[in-house]
Amino acid sequence: SVNVTVILGAHPNNLKSGNVYVFTHNHELRMKRVFISYGSNTVKLTSDNSDKNRYPDEFITNEQLNEINFIGRLELALIHP
């Protein structure tokens, strides 16, 4: 079993593409890296986990992004074996 301590920054006023954010969506607490495609209407939510069969990339529209409640930006993650 692995324990992880997560340190969050303040609530993000402006999302920055490529950063990891903690958020709630559809009543689930989630943590994903957010990539904003400014030329299209697409946002990619991706896990840093290499098992893409279990944690596949997700694509949402900018409108769907407004349905997400962002809690904070990941500042530091400490893994405790």
Side-chain angles (χ1 to χ4, degrees):
S1 165
V2 175
N3 293 314
V4 177
T5 301
V6 175
I7 298 173
L8 299 178
H11 180 274
N13 293 327
N14 296 312
L15 296 179
K16 201 170 173 190
S17 188
N19 282 344
V20 176
Y21 293 94
V22 174
F23 57 90
T24 57
H25 185 238
N26 293 332
H27 307 289
E28 289 185 44
L29 181 64
R30 307 183 67 199
M31 182 167 58
K32 296 281 185 179
R33 191 170 299 277
V34 176
F35 292 97
I36 302 167
S37 178
Y38 296 102
S40 69
N41 192 27
T42 305
V43 177
K44 180 168 85 168
L45 305 176
T46 185
S47 172
D48 285 352
N49 191 308
S50 60
D51 185 352
K52 294 302 178 185
N53 287 322
R54 258 184 101 177
Y55 304 100
D57 292 344
E58 302 170 47
F59 296 90
I60 62 172
T61 65
N62 285 332
E63 290 78 27
Q64 290 170 313
L65 185 65
N66 293 328
E67 300 170 4
I68 294 175
N69 178 36
F70 285 92
I71 298 167
R73 184 182 73 244
L74 179 69
E75 293 290 333
L76 180 65
L78 303 171
I79 300 173
H80 311 279

